[in-house]
Amino acid sequence: MSGLPATARQLGLLNCHDCHLLVEAPADGHDHLECPRCGAPLHERKPNSLARTWALVLAASILYIPANVLPMTITSALGTTQADTIMSGVIYFIHSGSWEIAAVIFIASVFVPLLKLLILVILLLSVQLRWRWRPKDRTMLYRLTEMVGRWSMLDIYVVTILVALVKLGAVASIEAGPAAVFFAAVVVITMIAAESFDPRLIWDALEEDS
Amino acid sequence: MPVVACHDCDLLNRLPDEAAATLLCARCGAVLQKHKPDSIERSLALTLAALILFIVANSFPFLAMKSGGFVQETKLLTGIVELWRQELYGLASLVLITCVLVPLLQMSCLLYILAPLKYDRPVPHAIRAFRLLRHIAPWGMLEIFMLGILVALVKLGKMATIVPGISVFAFGLLVLVMAAAVTVLDPPLLWARLDRRP
Ligand SMILES: [Zn+2]
Ligand SMILES: [Zn+2]
């Protein structure tokens, strides 16, 4: 309806990533070009988007394993110590009847990071193999990963609150386990990965072929 | 002819004539422009409220746990200090950044941008502050911390009595007010107002 049959790139325009000002690209390349309104560096597409996103997705996938296998918390109570992984925490909540909390932790800590990595891999492959399949849905998938990724920080915060509250001398104490560090790294790296991916690449294949 | 390019698919879209209209990208459906009435005044008021709530949330006891004869009282920062003491420096910094520093910086940036705009007094580096605000936004995670509090309460509720302090309620309000302050913001309007080009 209000869409014009052209993209900014086809008309030689650069869309400022920060303030969305349209700037005419100079004929002699546009390295080190700055937005005249806000000063942000201008690029036709995010630089090295595919390579950077692949590297970050790979790193996060590797770190996802120790994050799930190693203990997230170490609880000492009355002389006994117990190490809990993310999954054993979920199982604890199921057994104690709080299945809503079990579901929340499972979704935020196990399901969302995995889903996010999977979606990013699919998007990366789809751009590299120049799929023309459902670009609008793939853009929606991208927005989904951007939106939900941060919620995986939930378990990190739970651990923070637990270690603050539970340090009752000899009776009981909770310490953060090594998985907490790996898990935090997974969340941060996948957030940066989603940020480095340029969804406009999904649409570029359509124009270049036609 | 006023035109914007879609940030998600690069398609050029014509801006509607009526300022009040919401503009969706014709090709991918991204929200390109959405007019918010009185956005500067509203966002400024909400930011001031958020700042007060933030100070309250950080000054009073957060949660207290009673178990046997022990009472353990904590403030918002206790968990971060405790992680640091356990030599988990990266983790402590991450929580400090996402739950204290970024929200504080967000509020400061909003105040710095909005207050002078309301009184039409240009200040240096307002554009830089707005760019910073947009870049740090995903890293402010107050609402996720709030959910973390609820989960921790359920987890500990079985083994001890937990007494929520004033801070928890201030924090809950802060989450809502902060989200509202960002939601009522009208970025295209702000960029146009901040534009200092001749
Ligand atoms: Zn700009
Ligand atoms: Zn679009």
Side-chain angles (χ1 to χ4, degrees):
Chain A
M1 191 179 67
S2 63
L4 304 171
T7 62
R9 187 171 70 164
Q10 285 169 338
L11 297 190
L13 296 169
L14 304 174
N15 188 13
C16 172
H17 195 69
D18 282 21
C19 77
H20 301 307
L21 183 74
L22 280 171
V23 182
E24 219 158 302
D28 55 341
H30 36 264
D31 292 339
H32 311 297
L33 206 64
E34 275 187 2
C35 172
R37 175 159 74 176
C38 78
L42 289 173
H43 307 285
E44 192 179 80
R45 297 289 178 263
K46 290 179 189 172
N48 284 325
S49 173
L50 290 181
R52 282 187 56 185
T53 314
W54 267 122
L56 291 163
V57 164
L58 218 62
S61 313
I62 293 166
L63 293 170
Y64 183 79
I65 298 163
N68 277 281
V69 173
L70 296 175
M72 193 80 172
T73 54
I74 297 155
T75 315
S76 333
L78 304 166
T80 60
T81 59
Q82 188 195 341
D84 275 304
T85 60
I86 292 172
M87 262 328 269
S88 73
V90 172
I91 291 164
Y92 165 83
F93 276 119
I94 293 174
H95 282 311
S96 65
S98 321
W99 63 268
E100 310 92 335
I101 299 287
V104 168
I105 298 187
F106 180 79
I107 291 170
S109 307
V110 184
F111 184 66
V112 164
L114 214 53
L115 182 75
K116 201 173 163 180
L117 288 172
L118 195 70
I119 291 179
L120 283 173
V121 167
I122 291 172
L123 291 178
L124 285 165
L125 284 176
S126 83
V127 168
Q128 263 173 341
L129 302 175
R130 313 184 63 76
W131 293 358
R132 303 172 53 88
W133 171 78
R134 308 181 90 155
K136 193 169 173 178
D137 290 338
R138 280 184 282 146
T139 311
M140 298 267 273
L141 277 181
Y142 173 70
R143 281 186 215 133
L144 184 74
T145 60
E146 257 195 324
M147 227 165 54
V148 300
R150 343 164 35 241
W151 286 91
S152 302
M153 279 294 279
L154 179 67
D155 228 21
I156 298 293
Y157 294 145
V158 174
V159 171
T160 307
I161 298 160
L162 290 181
V163 298
L165 273 177
V166 188
K167 38 172 186 169
L168 300 172
V171 182
S173 75
I174 294 183
E175 294 209 353
V181 177
F182 287 107
F183 190 74
V186 170
V187 180
V188 171
I189 293 172
T190 49
M191 277 179 72
I192 300 173
E195 175 59 40
S196 345
F197 183 77
D198 194 331
R200 289 171 294 187
L201 297 174
I202 295 171
W203 299 86
D204 284 346
L206 296 169
E207 284 136 32
E208 282 152 19
D209 290 354
S210 60
Chain B
M1 182 180 60
V3 157
V4 284
C6 174
H7 45 83
D8 277 357
C9 77
D10 211 31
L11 187 78
L12 293 170
N13 285 261
R14 193 175 294 124
L15 282 170
D17 296 326
E18 333 87 88
T22 297
L23 177 63
L24 299 181
C25 174
R27 183 161 73 165
C28 78
V31 181
L32 297 182
Q33 204 147 73
K34 195 171 188 176
H35 177 69
K36 320 262 175 78
D38 302 324
S39 76
I40 293 175
E41 284 81 5
R42 285 187 192 180
S43 189
L44 188 59
L46 288 163
T47 306
L48 284 171
L51 204 59
I52 295 166
L53 288 167
F54 185 80
I55 295 165
V56 173
N58 276 291
S59 337
F60 291 95
F62 204 64
L63 297 167
M65 182 168 121
K66 290 180 190 160
S67 175
F70 290 95
V71 176
Q72 178 70 43
E73 206 170 64
T74 63
K75 288 198 172 178
L76 198 49
L77 291 170
T78 315
I80 298 167
V81 174
E82 192 58 30
L83 286 176
W84 190 271
R85 210 187 49 78
Q86 292 178 15
E87 294 178 7
L88 296 162
Y89 305 120
L91 218 52
S93 313
L94 185 65
V95 179
L96 183 72
I97 290 169
T98 53
C99 292
V100 181
L101 297 184
V102 167
L104 197 59
L105 198 57
Q106 276 178 295
M107 288 180 255
S108 318
C109 283
L110 278 171
L111 273 185
Y112 187 77
I113 298 161
L114 297 173
L117 271 186
K118 180 165 163 43
Y119 299 103
D120 258 323
R121 298 234 173 107
V123 286
H125 303 304
I127 285 182
R128 207 169 275 241
F130 195 32
R131 274 184 65 204
L132 180 68
L133 181 70
R134 313 269 288 160
H135 282 276
I136 60 177
W139 301 97
M141 304 190 181
L142 292 177
E143 70 278 23
I144 305 167
F145 192 82
M146 191 67 215
L147 186 62
I149 295 171
L150 298 179
V151 173
L153 286 182
V154 174
K155 193 159 191 169
L156 291 174
K158 299 252 156 48
M159 58 188 270
T161 314
I162 311 284
V163 186
I166 301 173
S167 280
V168 174
F169 300 105
F171 196 85
L173 269 179
L174 171 64
V175 169
L176 296 176
V177 173
M178 192 72 190
V182 175
T183 312
V184 299
L185 217 59
D186 190 343
L189 173 89
L190 282 188
W191 283 120
R193 294 276 314 261
L194 290 173
D195 195 351
R196 303 267 293 277
R197 289 172 303 158

mmCIF file with all atom_site columns, all heavy atoms in Angstrom, chain B residues 32 70 85 90 93 111 122 176-179:
data_model
loop_
_atom_site.group_PDB
_atom_site.id
_atom_site.type_symbol
_atom_site.label_atom_id
_atom_site.label_alt_id
_atom_site.label_comp_id
_atom_site.label_asym_id
_atom_site.label_entity_id
_atom_site.label_seq_id
_atom_site.pdbx_PDB_ins_code
_atom_site.Cartn_x
_atom_site.Cartn_y
_atom_site.Cartn_z
_atom_site.occupancy
_atom_site.B_iso_or_equiv
_atom_site.pdbx_formal_charge
_atom_site.auth_seq_id
_atom_site.auth_comp_id
_atom_site.auth_asym_id
_atom_site.auth_atom_id
_atom_site.pdbx_PDB_model_num
ATOM 1  N N   . LEU B 1 32  ? 7.447  0.763   11.709 1.00 0.00 ? 32  LEU B N   1
ATOM 2  C CA  . LEU B 1 32  ? 8.421  1.774   11.298 1.00 0.00 ? 32  LEU B CA  1
ATOM 3  C C   . LEU B 1 32  ? 8.210  3.090   12.035 1.00 0.00 ? 32  LEU B C   1
ATOM 4  O O   . LEU B 1 32  ? 9.149  3.820   12.304 1.00 0.00 ? 32  LEU B O   1
ATOM 5  C CB  . LEU B 1 32  ? 8.328  2.010   9.792  1.00 0.00 ? 32  LEU B CB  1
ATOM 6  C CG  . LEU B 1 32  ? 8.659  0.799   8.926  1.00 0.00 ? 32  LEU B CG  1
ATOM 7  C CD1 . LEU B 1 32  ? 8.575  1.154   7.460  1.00 0.00 ? 32  LEU B CD1 1
ATOM 8  C CD2 . LEU B 1 32  ? 10.030 0.241   9.262  1.00 0.00 ? 32  LEU B CD2 1
ATOM 9  N N   . PHE B 1 70  ? 18.274 -18.096 63.021 1.00 0.00 ? 70  PHE B N   1
ATOM 10 C CA  . PHE B 1 70  ? 18.997 -17.149 62.175 1.00 0.00 ? 70  PHE B CA  1
ATOM 11 C C   . PHE B 1 70  ? 18.049 -16.215 61.424 1.00 0.00 ? 70  PHE B C   1
ATOM 12 O O   . PHE B 1 70  ? 16.981 -16.610 60.984 1.00 0.00 ? 70  PHE B O   1
ATOM 13 C CB  . PHE B 1 70  ? 19.819 -17.899 61.121 1.00 0.00 ? 70  PHE B CB  1
ATOM 14 C CG  . PHE B 1 70  ? 20.985 -18.644 61.700 1.00 0.00 ? 70  PHE B CG  1
ATOM 15 C CD1 . PHE B 1 70  ? 20.881 -19.988 62.019 1.00 0.00 ? 70  PHE B CD1 1
ATOM 16 C CD2 . PHE B 1 70  ? 22.201 -17.988 61.909 1.00 0.00 ? 70  PHE B CD2 1
ATOM 17 C CE1 . PHE B 1 70  ? 21.953 -20.671 62.544 1.00 0.00 ? 70  PHE B CE1 1
ATOM 18 C CE2 . PHE B 1 70  ? 23.274 -18.670 62.424 1.00 0.00 ? 70  PHE B CE2 1
ATOM 19 C CZ  . PHE B 1 70  ? 23.160 -20.021 62.754 1.00 0.00 ? 70  PHE B CZ  1
ATOM 20 N N   . ARG B 1 85  ? 32.685 -12.143 46.275 1.00 0.00 ? 85  ARG B N   1
ATOM 21 C CA  . ARG B 1 85  ? 33.430 -12.781 47.358 1.00 0.00 ? 85  ARG B CA  1
ATOM 22 C C   . ARG B 1 85  ? 33.755 -14.238 47.005 1.00 0.00 ? 85  ARG B C   1
ATOM 23 O O   . ARG B 1 85  ? 34.767 -14.777 47.414 1.00 0.00 ? 85  ARG B O   1
ATOM 24 C CB  . ARG B 1 85  ? 32.607 -12.714 48.646 1.00 0.00 ? 85  ARG B CB  1
ATOM 25 C CG  . ARG B 1 85  ? 33.429 -12.639 49.934 1.00 0.00 ? 85  ARG B CG  1
ATOM 26 C CD  . ARG B 1 85  ? 32.508 -12.750 51.144 1.00 0.00 ? 85  ARG B CD  1
ATOM 27 N NE  . ARG B 1 85  ? 31.588 -13.872 51.038 1.00 0.00 ? 85  ARG B NE  1
ATOM 28 C CZ  . ARG B 1 85  ? 31.926 -15.138 51.278 1.00 0.00 ? 85  ARG B CZ  1
ATOM 29 N NH1 . ARG B 1 85  ? 33.139 -15.449 51.649 1.00 0.00 ? 85  ARG B NH1 1
ATOM 30 N NH2 . ARG B 1 85  ? 31.035 -16.105 51.151 1.00 0.00 ? 85  ARG B NH2 1
ATOM 31 N N   . GLY B 1 90  ? 33.334 -12.185 36.928 1.00 0.00 ? 90  GLY B N   1
ATOM 32 C CA  . GLY B 1 90  ? 32.596 -11.926 35.684 1.00 0.00 ? 90  GLY B CA  1
ATOM 33 C C   . GLY B 1 90  ? 31.099 -11.935 35.922 1.00 0.00 ? 90  GLY B C   1
ATOM 34 O O   . GLY B 1 90  ? 30.366 -11.051 35.475 1.00 0.00 ? 90  GLY B O   1
ATOM 35 N N   . SER B 1 93  ? 29.986 -8.936  37.921 1.00 0.00 ? 93  SER B N   1
ATOM 36 C CA  . SER B 1 93  ? 29.961 -7.745  37.073 1.00 0.00 ? 93  SER B CA  1
ATOM 37 C C   . SER B 1 93  ? 28.741 -7.766  36.158 1.00 0.00 ? 93  SER B C   1
ATOM 38 O O   . SER B 1 93  ? 28.090 -6.736  35.952 1.00 0.00 ? 93  SER B O   1
ATOM 39 C CB  . SER B 1 93  ? 31.217 -7.667  36.205 1.00 0.00 ? 93  SER B CB  1
ATOM 40 O OG  . SER B 1 93  ? 32.353 -7.899  36.976 1.00 0.00 ? 93  SER B OG  1
ATOM 41 N N   . LEU B 1 111 ? 16.836 11.432  31.257 1.00 0.00 ? 111 LEU B N   1
ATOM 42 C CA  . LEU B 1 111 ? 16.732 12.744  31.900 1.00 0.00 ? 111 LEU B CA  1
ATOM 43 C C   . LEU B 1 111 ? 17.508 13.788  31.110 1.00 0.00 ? 111 LEU B C   1
ATOM 44 O O   . LEU B 1 111 ? 17.018 14.890  30.849 1.00 0.00 ? 111 LEU B O   1
ATOM 45 C CB  . LEU B 1 111 ? 17.296 12.683  33.320 1.00 0.00 ? 111 LEU B CB  1
ATOM 46 C CG  . LEU B 1 111 ? 16.353 12.266  34.426 1.00 0.00 ? 111 LEU B CG  1
ATOM 47 C CD1 . LEU B 1 111 ? 17.057 12.396  35.769 1.00 0.00 ? 111 LEU B CD1 1
ATOM 48 C CD2 . LEU B 1 111 ? 15.107 13.140  34.412 1.00 0.00 ? 111 LEU B CD2 1
ATOM 49 N N   . PRO B 1 122 ? 18.935 23.462  24.076 1.00 0.00 ? 122 PRO B N   1
ATOM 50 C CA  . PRO B 1 122 ? 19.811 22.407  23.560 1.00 0.00 ? 122 PRO B CA  1
ATOM 51 C C   . PRO B 1 122 ? 21.034 22.197  24.458 1.00 0.00 ? 122 PRO B C   1
ATOM 52 O O   . PRO B 1 122 ? 21.611 23.158  24.971 1.00 0.00 ? 122 PRO B O   1
ATOM 53 C CB  . PRO B 1 122 ? 20.231 22.918  22.180 1.00 0.00 ? 122 PRO B CB  1
ATOM 54 C CG  . PRO B 1 122 ? 19.826 24.346  22.127 1.00 0.00 ? 122 PRO B CG  1
ATOM 55 C CD  . PRO B 1 122 ? 18.843 24.627  23.203 1.00 0.00 ? 122 PRO B CD  1
ATOM 56 N N   . LEU B 1 176 ? 7.750  -1.723  36.278 1.00 0.00 ? 176 LEU B N   1
ATOM 57 C CA  . LEU B 1 176 ? 6.621  -1.242  35.482 1.00 0.00 ? 176 LEU B CA  1
ATOM 58 C C   . LEU B 1 176 ? 6.858  0.176   34.963 1.00 0.00 ? 176 LEU B C   1
ATOM 59 O O   . LEU B 1 176 ? 6.654  0.477   33.787 1.00 0.00 ? 176 LEU B O   1
ATOM 60 C CB  . LEU B 1 176 ? 5.341  -1.268  36.323 1.00 0.00 ? 176 LEU B CB  1
ATOM 61 C CG  . LEU B 1 176 ? 4.871  -2.650  36.774 1.00 0.00 ? 176 LEU B CG  1
ATOM 62 C CD1 . LEU B 1 176 ? 3.650  -2.536  37.668 1.00 0.00 ? 176 LEU B CD1 1
ATOM 63 C CD2 . LEU B 1 176 ? 4.553  -3.510  35.550 1.00 0.00 ? 176 LEU B CD2 1
ATOM 64 N N   . VAL B 1 177 ? 7.324  1.062   35.863 1.00 0.00 ? 177 VAL B N   1
ATOM 65 C CA  . VAL B 1 177 ? 7.495  2.474   35.502 1.00 0.00 ? 177 VAL B CA  1
ATOM 66 C C   . VAL B 1 177 ? 8.577  2.627   34.434 1.00 0.00 ? 177 VAL B C   1
ATOM 67 O O   . VAL B 1 177 ? 8.445  3.380   33.469 1.00 0.00 ? 177 VAL B O   1
ATOM 68 C CB  . VAL B 1 177 ? 7.844  3.298   36.758 1.00 0.00 ? 177 VAL B CB  1
ATOM 69 C CG1 . VAL B 1 177 ? 8.200  4.725   36.391 1.00 0.00 ? 177 VAL B CG1 1
ATOM 70 C CG2 . VAL B 1 177 ? 6.661  3.303   37.718 1.00 0.00 ? 177 VAL B CG2 1
ATOM 71 N N   . MET B 1 178 ? 9.653  1.854   34.611 1.00 0.00 ? 178 MET B N   1
ATOM 72 C CA  . MET B 1 178 ? 10.767 1.903   33.662 1.00 0.00 ? 178 MET B CA  1
ATOM 73 C C   . MET B 1 178 ? 10.317 1.443   32.273 1.00 0.00 ? 178 MET B C   1
ATOM 74 O O   . MET B 1 178 ? 10.633 2.070   31.259 1.00 0.00 ? 178 MET B O   1
ATOM 75 C CB  . MET B 1 178 ? 11.866 0.983   34.199 1.00 0.00 ? 178 MET B CB  1
ATOM 76 C CG  . MET B 1 178 ? 13.171 1.107   33.523 1.00 0.00 ? 178 MET B CG  1
ATOM 77 S SD  . MET B 1 178 ? 13.966 2.641   33.940 1.00 0.00 ? 178 MET B SD  1
ATOM 78 C CE  . MET B 1 178 ? 15.270 2.532   32.743 1.00 0.00 ? 178 MET B CE  1
ATOM 79 N N   . ALA B 1 179 ? 9.563  0.335   32.241 1.00 0.00 ? 179 ALA B N   1
ATOM 80 C CA  . ALA B 1 179 ? 9.060  -0.175  30.964 1.00 0.00 ? 179 ALA B CA  1
ATOM 81 C C   . ALA B 1 179 ? 8.166  0.872   30.307 1.00 0.00 ? 179 ALA B C   1
ATOM 82 O O   . ALA B 1 179 ? 8.246  1.111   29.097 1.00 0.00 ? 179 ALA B O   1
ATOM 83 C CB  . ALA B 1 179 ? 8.290  -1.478  31.175 1.00 0.00 ? 179 ALA B CB  1
#
